[in-house]
Amino acid sequence: PAAMVDHGYVLMRKRELTLTEADLTRPEPDEPRELTALQHAVAQHRDETLRMRAELAGQREQLTHCQGLLAEQERLRAEQEELLSAVRSSPSWRLTTPLRAAKRRLRRRRA
């Protein structure tokens, strides 16, 4: 096909070269794309930081709301426990204990 181009051949030889991490990450001084890439990275990190801060604020608000709900539920549970304790220690509850026990025995026999 016409789109195929003959590129020819390249002879490559291995060079003895030792590279460090610093050699690979060091910016090239006269390369304008380095600065552009760094500016882009800074902008991305700034945007991500702002997004994450907003998300964190929302989660803190939700946590505060949930803690309020939990405190209210704990208060209601304690109130119900007090009411139950008052009923169980009342004279009428103690007097009807044998009747409740007899009712349980009848139910077991029927089942």
Side-chain angles (χ1 to χ4, degrees):
M4 295 186 74
V5 177
D6 184 16
H7 291 284
Y9 295 97
V10 175
L11 177 62
M12 300 173 76
R13 295 181 188 185
K14 185 175 180 180
R15 286 195 269 167
E16 291 299 321
L17 182 64
T18 304
L19 292 174
T20 65
E21 182 180 348
D23 294 331
L24 297 172
T25 58
R26 183 181 312 117
E28 293 191 30
D30 297 326
E31 178 57 67
R33 293 177 296 177
E34 294 275 353
L35 179 59
T36 304
L38 289 172
Q39 289 170 335
H40 180 73
V42 167
Q44 281 186 318
H45 289 301
R46 183 191 63 240
D47 293 346
E48 185 177 2
T49 300
L50 293 174
R51 182 189 58 78
M52 291 176 80
R53 283 182 180 163
E55 186 178 326
L56 179 61
Q59 288 176 346
R60 283 184 174 152
E61 188 175 303
Q62 187 177 6
L63 176 62
T64 300
H65 175 71
C66 288
Q67 286 171 333
L69 291 174
L70 179 61
E72 176 65 14
Q73 290 299 314
E74 284 293 322
R75 186 190 66 74
L76 290 172
R77 186 198 58 77
E79 189 177 292
Q80 292 298 314
E81 287 251 345
E82 286 179 30
L83 287 172
L84 184 58
S85 178
V87 166
R88 286 184 174 162
S89 62
S90 70
S92 61
W93 185 264
R94 284 185 273 133
L95 286 172
T96 58
T97 299
L99 292 174
R100 287 191 309 277
K103 184 179 176 182
R104 277 192 302 273
R105 282 193 293 272
L106 286 175
R107 281 186 180 168
R108 285 186 203 140
R109 287 182 188 168
R110 289 182 189 166

CSV table of all heavy atoms in Angstrom, one decimal, residues 10-64:
chain,number,residue,atom,x,y,z
A,10,VAL,N,18.6,0.5,11.0
A,10,VAL,CA,19.4,1.3,12.0
A,10,VAL,C,20.3,0.3,12.7
A,10,VAL,O,19.9,-0.8,13.1
A,10,VAL,CB,18.5,2.0,13.0
A,10,VAL,CG1,19.3,2.6,14.1
A,10,VAL,CG2,17.6,2.9,12.3
A,11,LEU,N,21.6,0.6,12.8
A,11,LEU,CA,22.5,-0.2,13.5
A,11,LEU,C,22.7,0.4,14.9
A,11,LEU,O,23.1,1.6,15.0
A,11,LEU,CB,23.9,-0.2,12.8
A,11,LEU,CG,25.0,-1.0,13.5
A,11,LEU,CD1,24.6,-2.5,13.7
A,11,LEU,CD2,26.3,-0.9,12.7
A,12,MET,N,22.4,-0.4,15.9
A,12,MET,CA,22.5,0.1,17.3
A,12,MET,C,23.5,-0.7,18.1
A,12,MET,O,23.6,-1.9,17.9
A,12,MET,CB,21.1,0.1,18.0
A,12,MET,CG,20.1,0.9,17.3
A,12,MET,SD,18.4,0.7,18.0
A,12,MET,CE,18.6,1.6,19.5
A,13,ARG,N,24.3,0.0,18.9
A,13,ARG,CA,25.3,-0.7,19.7
A,13,ARG,C,25.0,-0.3,21.2
A,13,ARG,O,24.7,0.8,21.5
A,13,ARG,CB,26.7,-0.2,19.3
A,13,ARG,CG,27.0,-0.7,18.0
A,13,ARG,CD,28.4,-0.2,17.6
A,13,ARG,NE,28.6,-0.5,16.2
A,13,ARG,CZ,29.7,-0.4,15.5
A,13,ARG,NH1,30.8,0.1,16.2
A,13,ARG,NH2,29.8,-0.6,14.3
A,14,LYS,N,25.1,-1.3,22.0
A,14,LYS,CA,24.9,-1.1,23.4
A,14,LYS,C,26.1,-0.4,24.0
A,14,LYS,O,27.3,-0.7,23.7
A,14,LYS,CB,24.8,-2.5,24.1
A,14,LYS,CG,24.5,-2.4,25.6
A,14,LYS,CD,24.2,-3.8,26.2
A,14,LYS,CE,23.9,-3.6,27.6
A,14,LYS,NZ,23.7,-4.9,28.3
A,15,ARG,N,25.8,0.7,24.8
A,15,ARG,CA,26.8,1.5,25.4
A,15,ARG,C,26.8,1.1,26.9
A,15,ARG,O,25.8,0.9,27.5
A,15,ARG,CB,26.5,3.0,25.3
A,15,ARG,CG,26.8,3.5,24.0
A,15,ARG,CD,26.8,5.0,24.1
A,15,ARG,NE,25.5,5.6,23.8
A,15,ARG,CZ,25.1,6.8,24.1
A,15,ARG,NH1,26.0,7.7,24.6
A,15,ARG,NH2,23.9,7.2,23.8
A,16,GLU,N,28.0,1.1,27.5
A,16,GLU,CA,28.1,0.9,28.9
A,16,GLU,C,27.7,2.2,29.6
A,16,GLU,O,28.4,3.2,29.5
A,16,GLU,CB,29.5,0.5,29.3
A,16,GLU,CG,29.9,-0.9,28.8
A,16,GLU,CD,29.0,-2.0,29.4
A,16,GLU,OE1,28.6,-1.9,30.6
A,16,GLU,OE2,28.6,-2.9,28.7
A,17,LEU,N,26.6,2.2,30.2
A,17,LEU,CA,26.1,3.5,30.8
A,17,LEU,C,25.4,3.1,32.1
A,17,LEU,O,24.6,2.2,32.2
A,17,LEU,CB,25.1,4.1,29.9
A,17,LEU,CG,24.6,5.5,30.3
A,17,LEU,CD1,25.6,6.5,30.4
A,17,LEU,CD2,23.5,5.9,29.2
A,18,THR,N,25.7,3.8,33.2
A,18,THR,CA,25.0,3.6,34.4
A,18,THR,C,24.2,4.9,34.7
A,18,THR,O,24.7,6.0,34.8
A,18,THR,CB,26.1,3.4,35.6
A,18,THR,OG1,26.9,2.3,35.2
A,18,THR,CG2,25.4,3.1,36.9
A,19,LEU,N,22.9,4.7,34.9
A,19,LEU,CA,22.0,5.8,35.2
A,19,LEU,C,21.4,5.7,36.6
A,19,LEU,O,21.1,4.6,37.0
A,19,LEU,CB,20.8,5.8,34.2
A,19,LEU,CG,21.2,6.2,32.7
A,19,LEU,CD1,19.9,6.0,31.9
A,19,LEU,CD2,21.7,7.6,32.6
A,20,THR,N,21.3,6.8,37.2
A,20,THR,CA,20.7,6.8,38.6
A,20,THR,C,19.3,7.3,38.4
A,20,THR,O,18.9,7.8,37.4
A,20,THR,CB,21.5,7.7,39.5
A,20,THR,OG1,21.4,9.0,39.1
A,20,THR,CG2,23.0,7.2,39.6
A,21,GLU,N,18.6,7.2,39.5
A,21,GLU,CA,17.2,7.8,39.5
A,21,GLU,C,17.2,9.3,39.3
A,21,GLU,O,16.4,9.8,38.6
A,21,GLU,CB,16.5,7.4,40.9
A,21,GLU,CG,15.1,7.9,40.9
A,21,GLU,CD,14.4,7.6,42.2
A,21,GLU,OE1,14.9,6.8,43.0
A,21,GLU,OE2,13.3,8.2,42.5
A,22,ALA,N,18.2,9.9,39.9
A,22,ALA,CA,18.4,11.4,39.7
A,22,ALA,C,18.6,11.7,38.3
A,22,ALA,O,18.1,12.7,37.8
A,22,ALA,CB,19.5,11.9,40.6
A,23,ASP,N,19.4,10.9,37.6
A,23,ASP,CA,19.6,11.2,36.1
A,23,ASP,C,18.3,11.1,35.3
A,23,ASP,O,18.1,11.9,34.4
A,23,ASP,CB,20.6,10.1,35.6
A,23,ASP,CG,22.0,10.2,36.1
A,23,ASP,OD1,22.4,11.4,36.5
A,23,ASP,OD2,22.7,9.2,36.2
A,24,LEU,N,17.5,10.2,35.7
A,24,LEU,CA,16.2,10.0,35.0
A,24,LEU,C,15.1,11.0,35.3
A,24,LEU,O,14.3,11.3,34.5
A,24,LEU,CB,15.7,8.6,35.2
A,24,LEU,CG,16.6,7.4,34.7
A,24,LEU,CD1,16.1,6.1,35.1
A,24,LEU,CD2,16.7,7.5,33.2
A,25,THR,N,15.2,11.5,36.5
A,25,THR,CA,14.1,12.5,37.0
A,25,THR,C,14.6,13.9,36.9
A,25,THR,O,13.7,14.8,37.1
A,25,THR,CB,13.7,12.2,38.4
A,25,THR,OG1,14.9,12.2,39.3
A,25,THR,CG2,13.1,10.8,38.5
A,26,ARG,N,15.8,14.2,36.6
A,26,ARG,CA,16.3,15.6,36.5
A,26,ARG,C,15.7,16.3,35.3
A,26,ARG,O,15.7,15.7,34.2
A,26,ARG,CB,17.8,15.6,36.4
A,26,ARG,CG,18.4,17.0,36.3
A,26,ARG,CD,20.0,16.9,36.2
A,26,ARG,NE,20.6,16.0,37.1
A,26,ARG,CZ,21.3,14.9,36.7
A,26,ARG,NH1,21.5,14.6,35.5
A,26,ARG,NH2,21.8,14.1,37.6
A,27,PRO,N,15.1,17.5,35.5
A,27,PRO,CA,14.5,18.2,34.3
A,27,PRO,C,15.6,18.7,33.4
A,27,PRO,O,16.7,19.1,33.8
A,27,PRO,CB,13.8,19.4,34.9
A,27,PRO,CG,14.2,19.5,36.3
A,27,PRO,CD,14.9,18.2,36.7
A,28,GLU,N,15.3,18.7,32.1
A,28,GLU,CA,16.3,19.2,31.2
A,28,GLU,C,16.2,20.7,31.1
A,28,GLU,O,15.1,21.3,31.0
A,28,GLU,CB,16.0,18.6,29.8
A,28,GLU,CG,16.3,17.1,29.7
A,28,GLU,CD,16.3,16.6,28.3
A,28,GLU,OE1,16.6,17.4,27.4
A,28,GLU,OE2,15.9,15.4,28.1
A,29,PRO,N,17.3,21.4,31.2
A,29,PRO,CA,17.2,22.9,31.4
A,29,PRO,C,16.6,23.7,30.3
A,29,PRO,O,15.9,24.6,30.5
A,29,PRO,CB,18.7,23.3,31.5
A,29,PRO,CG,19.5,22.1,31.3
A,29,PRO,CD,18.6,20.9,31.2
A,30,ASP,N,16.7,23.3,29.0
A,30,ASP,CA,16.2,24.0,27.9
A,30,ASP,C,15.0,23.4,27.3
A,30,ASP,O,14.7,23.6,26.1
A,30,ASP,CB,17.3,24.2,26.8
A,30,ASP,CG,18.5,25.0,27.4
A,30,ASP,OD1,18.2,25.9,28.2
A,30,ASP,OD2,19.6,24.7,27.0
A,31,GLU,N,14.2,22.6,28.1
A,31,GLU,CA,13.1,22.0,27.6
A,31,GLU,C,11.8,22.6,28.1
A,31,GLU,O,11.5,22.5,29.3
A,31,GLU,CB,13.1,20.5,28.0
A,31,GLU,CG,11.9,19.7,27.5
A,31,GLU,CD,11.7,19.7,26.1
A,31,GLU,OE1,12.5,19.1,25.3
A,31,GLU,OE2,10.6,20.2,25.6
A,32,PRO,N,11.1,23.4,27.2
A,32,PRO,CA,9.9,24.2,27.7
A,32,PRO,C,8.8,23.2,28.1
A,32,PRO,O,7.9,23.6,29.0
A,32,PRO,CB,9.5,25.0,26.5
A,32,PRO,CG,10.1,24.3,25.3
A,32,PRO,CD,11.4,23.6,25.8
A,33,ARG,N,8.7,22.0,27.6
A,33,ARG,CA,7.6,21.1,28.0
A,33,ARG,C,7.8,20.7,29.5
A,33,ARG,O,6.8,20.4,30.1
A,33,ARG,CB,7.7,19.9,27.1
A,33,ARG,CG,7.3,20.2,25.7
A,33,ARG,CD,7.4,19.0,24.8
A,33,ARG,NE,8.7,18.6,24.7
A,33,ARG,CZ,9.2,17.5,24.1
A,33,ARG,NH1,8.3,16.8,23.4
A,33,ARG,NH2,10.4,17.1,24.0
A,34,GLU,N,9.0,20.7,30.0
A,34,GLU,CA,9.2,20.4,31.4
A,34,GLU,C,8.4,21.3,32.3
A,34,GLU,O,7.7,20.9,33.2
A,34,GLU,CB,10.7,20.4,31.8
A,34,GLU,CG,11.5,19.4,31.1
A,34,GLU,CD,11.5,18.1,31.8
A,34,GLU,OE1,11.0,18.0,33.0
A,34,GLU,OE2,12.1,17.1,31.3
A,35,LEU,N,8.6,22.6,32.1
A,35,LEU,CA,7.9,23.6,32.9
A,35,LEU,C,6.4,23.5,32.7
A,35,LEU,O,5.6,23.6,33.7
A,35,LEU,CB,8.4,25.1,32.5
A,35,LEU,CG,7.7,26.2,33.3
A,35,LEU,CD1,8.0,26.0,34.8
A,35,LEU,CD2,8.3,27.5,32.8
A,36,THR,N,5.9,23.4,31.5
A,36,THR,CA,4.5,23.2,31.2
A,36,THR,C,3.9,22.0,31.9
A,36,THR,O,2.9,22.1,32.5
A,36,THR,CB,4.3,23.1,29.7
A,36,THR,OG1,4.8,24.3,29.0
A,36,THR,CG2,2.8,23.0,29.4
A,37,ALA,N,4.6,20.9,31.9
A,37,ALA,CA,4.2,19.7,32.5
A,37,ALA,C,4.1,19.9,34.1
A,37,ALA,O,3.2,19.5,34.7
A,37,ALA,CB,5.1,18.5,32.2
A,38,LEU,N,5.1,20.6,34.6
A,38,LEU,CA,5.1,20.8,36.1
A,38,LEU,C,4.0,21.8,36.5
A,38,LEU,O,3.3,21.6,37.5
A,38,LEU,CB,6.5,21.4,36.5
A,38,LEU,CG,7.6,20.4,36.5
A,38,LEU,CD1,8.9,21.2,36.8
A,38,LEU,CD2,7.4,19.3,37.5
A,39,GLN,N,3.7,22.8,35.7
A,39,GLN,CA,2.6,23.7,35.9
A,39,GLN,C,1.3,23.0,35.9
A,39,GLN,O,0.4,23.2,36.7
A,39,GLN,CB,2.6,24.9,35.0
A,39,GLN,CG,3.8,25.8,35.2
A,39,GLN,CD,3.9,26.9,34.1
A,39,GLN,OE1,3.5,26.7,32.9
A,39,GLN,NE2,4.6,28.0,34.4
A,40,HIS,N,1.2,22.1,34.9
A,40,HIS,CA,-0.1,21.3,34.8
A,40,HIS,C,-0.2,20.4,36.0
A,40,HIS,O,-1.3,20.3,36.5
A,40,HIS,CB,0.0,20.5,33.5
A,40,HIS,CG,-1.2,19.7,33.3
A,40,HIS,ND1,-2.5,20.2,32.9
A,40,HIS,CD2,-1.4,18.3,33.4
A,40,HIS,CE1,-3.3,19.2,32.8
A,40,HIS,NE2,-2.7,18.1,33.1
A,41,ALA,N,0.8,19.8,36.4
A,41,ALA,CA,0.8,18.9,37.6
A,41,ALA,C,0.4,19.7,38.8
A,41,ALA,O,-0.4,19.2,39.6
A,41,ALA,CB,2.1,18.2,37.8
A,42,VAL,N,1.0,20.8,39.0
A,42,VAL,CA,0.6,21.7,40.2
A,42,VAL,C,-0.9,22.0,40.1
A,42,VAL,O,-1.6,22.0,41.2
A,42,VAL,CB,1.5,23.0,40.2
A,42,VAL,CG1,1.0,24.0,41.2
A,42,VAL,CG2,2.9,22.6,40.6
A,43,ALA,N,-1.4,22.4,39.0
A,43,ALA,CA,-2.8,22.8,38.8
A,43,ALA,C,-3.7,21.6,39.2
A,43,ALA,O,-4.7,21.7,39.9
A,43,ALA,CB,-3.1,23.3,37.4
A,44,GLN,N,-3.3,20.4,38.7
A,44,GLN,CA,-4.1,19.2,39.0
A,44,GLN,C,-4.1,18.9,40.5
A,44,GLN,O,-5.1,18.6,41.0
A,44,GLN,CB,-3.5,18.0,38.2
A,44,GLN,CG,-4.0,18.0,36.8
A,44,GLN,CD,-3.5,16.7,36.1
A,44,GLN,OE1,-2.4,16.2,36.3
A,44,GLN,NE2,-4.4,16.1,35.3
A,45,HIS,N,-2.9,19.0,41.1
A,45,HIS,CA,-2.8,18.8,42.6
A,45,HIS,C,-3.6,19.8,43.3
A,45,HIS,O,-4.3,19.4,44.3
A,45,HIS,CB,-1.4,18.7,43.0
A,45,HIS,CG,-0.6,17.5,42.5
A,45,HIS,ND1,-1.0,16.2,42.8
A,45,HIS,CD2,0.5,17.4,41.8
A,45,HIS,CE1,-0.2,15.4,42.3
A,45,HIS,NE2,0.7,16.1,41.6
A,46,ARG,N,-3.6,21.0,42.9
A,46,ARG,CA,-4.4,22.1,43.6
A,46,ARG,C,-5.9,21.8,43.5
A,46,ARG,O,-6.6,21.8,44.5
A,46,ARG,CB,-4.1,23.4,43.0
A,46,ARG,CG,-4.8,24.6,43.7
A,46,ARG,CD,-4.8,25.9,42.9
A,46,ARG,NE,-5.4,25.8,41.6
A,46,ARG,CZ,-4.8,25.9,40.5
A,46,ARG,NH1,-3.6,26.3,40.4
A,46,ARG,NH2,-5.5,25.8,39.3
A,47,ASP,N,-6.3,21.4,42.3
A,47,ASP,CA,-7.7,21.1,42.1
A,47,ASP,C,-8.2,19.9,42.9
A,47,ASP,O,-9.2,19.9,43.5
A,47,ASP,CB,-8.0,20.9,40.6
A,47,ASP,CG,-7.9,22.1,39.7
A,47,ASP,OD1,-7.8,23.2,40.3
A,47,ASP,OD2,-7.8,22.0,38.5
A,48,GLU,N,-7.3,18.9,42.9
A,48,GLU,CA,-7.6,17.7,43.7
A,48,GLU,C,-7.7,18.0,45.2
A,48,GLU,O,-8.6,17.5,45.9
A,48,GLU,CB,-6.6,16.6,43.4
A,48,GLU,CG,-7.0,15.3,44.1
A,48,GLU,CD,-6.0,14.2,43.7
A,48,GLU,OE1,-5.0,14.4,43.0
A,48,GLU,OE2,-6.2,13.1,44.2
A,49,THR,N,-6.8,18.8,45.6
A,49,THR,CA,-6.8,19.2,47.0
A,49,THR,C,-8.0,20.0,47.4
A,49,THR,O,-8.7,19.7,48.4
A,49,THR,CB,-5.5,20.1,47.3
A,49,THR,OG1,-4.4,19.3,47.0
A,49,THR,CG2,-5.5,20.5,48.8
A,50,LEU,N,-8.5,20.9,46.5
A,50,LEU,CA,-9.7,21.6,46.8
A,50,LEU,C,-10.9,20.7,46.8
A,50,LEU,O,-11.8,20.8,47.7
A,50,LEU,CB,-9.9,22.7,45.8
A,50,LEU,CG,-8.9,23.9,45.8
A,50,LEU,CD1,-9.1,24.8,44.6
A,50,LEU,CD2,-8.9,24.6,47.1
A,51,ARG,N,-11.0,19.8,45.9
A,51,ARG,CA,-12.1,18.8,45.8
A,51,ARG,C,-12.1,18.0,47.0
A,51,ARG,O,-13.1,17.7,47.7
A,51,ARG,CB,-11.9,18.0,44.6
A,51,ARG,CG,-13.1,17.0,44.4
A,51,ARG,CD,-12.8,16.0,43.3
A,51,ARG,NE,-11.6,15.2,43.4
A,51,ARG,CZ,-11.4,14.2,44.3
A,51,ARG,NH1,-12.4,13.8,45.0
A,51,ARG,NH2,-10.3,13.5,44.4
A,52,MET,N,-10.9,17.5,47.5
A,52,MET,CA,-10.9,16.6,48.6
A,52,MET,C,-11.2,17.4,49.9
A,52,MET,O,-11.8,16.8,50.8
A,52,MET,CB,-9.5,16.0,48.7
A,52,MET,CG,-9.2,15.0,47.6
A,52,MET,SD,-7.6,14.3,47.6
A,52,MET,CE,-7.8,13.0,48.9
A,53,ARG,N,-10.8,18.6,50.0
A,53,ARG,CA,-11.2,19.4,51.2
A,53,ARG,C,-12.7,19.6,51.3
A,53,ARG,O,-13.3,19.5,52.3
A,53,ARG,CB,-10.5,20.8,51.1
A,53,ARG,CG,-9.0,20.7,51.5
A,53,ARG,CD,-8.4,22.1,51.5
A,53,ARG,NE,-7.0,22.0,51.9
A,53,ARG,CZ,-6.1,22.9,51.7
A,53,ARG,NH1,-6.4,24.1,51.1
A,53,ARG,NH2,-4.8,22.8,52.1
A,54,ALA,N,-13.3,19.9,50.1
A,54,ALA,CA,-14.8,20.0,50.1
A,54,ALA,C,-15.4,18.7,50.5
A,54,ALA,O,-16.4,18.7,51.3
A,54,ALA,CB,-15.2,20.5,48.7
A,55,GLU,N,-14.9,17.6,50.0
A,55,GLU,CA,-15.5,16.3,50.3
A,55,GLU,C,-15.3,16.0,51.8
A,55,GLU,O,-16.2,15.5,52.5
A,55,GLU,CB,-14.8,15.2,49.5
A,55,GLU,CG,-15.3,13.9,49.6
A,55,GLU,CD,-14.6,12.8,48.7
A,55,GLU,OE1,-14.2,13.2,47.6
A,55,GLU,OE2,-14.5,11.7,49.2
A,56,LEU,N,-14.1,16.3,52.3
A,56,LEU,CA,-13.9,16.1,53.8
A,56,LEU,C,-14.8,17.0,54.6
A,56,LEU,O,-15.4,16.5,55.6
A,56,LEU,CB,-12.4,16.5,54.1
A,56,LEU,CG,-12.0,16.3,55.5
A,56,LEU,CD1,-12.2,14.9,56.0
A,56,LEU,CD2,-10.6,16.8,55.7
A,57,ALA,N,-15.1,18.2,54.2
A,57,ALA,CA,-16.0,19.1,55.0
A,57,ALA,C,-17.4,18.4,55.0
A,57,ALA,O,-18.1,18.4,56.0
A,57,ALA,CB,-16.0,20.5,54.4
A,58,GLY,N,-17.8,17.9,53.8
A,58,GLY,CA,-19.1,17.3,53.7
A,58,GLY,C,-19.2,16.0,54.6
A,58,GLY,O,-20.2,15.8,55.3
A,59,GLN,N,-18.1,15.3,54.6
A,59,GLN,CA,-18.1,14.1,55.5
A,59,GLN,C,-18.1,14.4,57.0
A,59,GLN,O,-18.7,13.7,57.8
A,59,GLN,CB,-16.9,13.2,55.1
A,59,GLN,CG,-17.1,12.5,53.8
A,59,GLN,CD,-15.8,11.8,53.3
A,59,GLN,OE1,-14.7,11.9,53.9
A,59,GLN,NE2,-16.0,10.9,52.3
A,60,ARG,N,-17.4,15.5,57.3
A,60,ARG,CA,-17.4,15.9,58.7
A,60,ARG,C,-18.8,16.4,59.1
A,60,ARG,O,-19.2,16.1,60.2
A,60,ARG,CB,-16.4,17.0,58.9
A,60,ARG,CG,-15.0,16.6,59.0
A,60,ARG,CD,-14.0,17.7,59.3
A,60,ARG,NE,-12.7,17.2,59.4
A,60,ARG,CZ,-11.6,17.9,59.2
A,60,ARG,NH1,-11.6,19.1,58.8
A,60,ARG,NH2,-10.4,17.3,59.4
A,61,GLU,N,-19.5,17.1,58.2
A,61,GLU,CA,-20.8,17.5,58.5
A,61,GLU,C,-21.7,16.3,58.7
A,61,GLU,O,-22.6,16.3,59.6
A,61,GLU,CB,-21.3,18.4,57.4
A,61,GLU,CG,-22.6,19.1,57.6
A,61,GLU,CD,-23.0,20.0,56.4
A,61,GLU,OE1,-22.2,20.9,56.1
A,61,GLU,OE2,-24.0,19.8,55.9
A,62,GLN,N,-21.6,15.3,57.8
A,62,GLN,CA,-22.4,14.1,57.9
A,62,GLN,C,-22.1,13.4,59.2
A,62,GLN,O,-23.0,12.8,59.9
A,62,GLN,CB,-22.1,13.2,56.7
A,62,GLN,CG,-23.0,12.0,56.6
A,62,GLN,CD,-22.8,11.2,55.4
A,62,GLN,OE1,-21.9,11.5,54.6
A,62,GLN,NE2,-23.6,10.2,55.2
A,63,LEU,N,-20.8,13.3,59.6
A,63,LEU,CA,-20.4,12.7,60.8
A,63,LEU,C,-21.1,13.3,62.0
A,63,LEU,O,-21.6,12.7,62.9
A,63,LEU,CB,-18.9,12.6,61.0
A,63,LEU,CG,-18.3,12.1,62.3
A,63,LEU,CD1,-18.7,10.6,62.5
A,63,LEU,CD2,-16.8,12.2,62.3
A,64,THR,N,-21.0,14.7,62.0
A,64,THR,CA,-21.6,15.4,63.1
A,64,THR,C,-23.1,15.1,63.2
A,64,THR,O,-23.7,14.9,64.3
A,64,THR,CB,-21.4,16.9,62.9
A,64,THR,OG1,-20.0,17.2,62.9
A,64,THR,CG2,-22.0,17.7,64.1
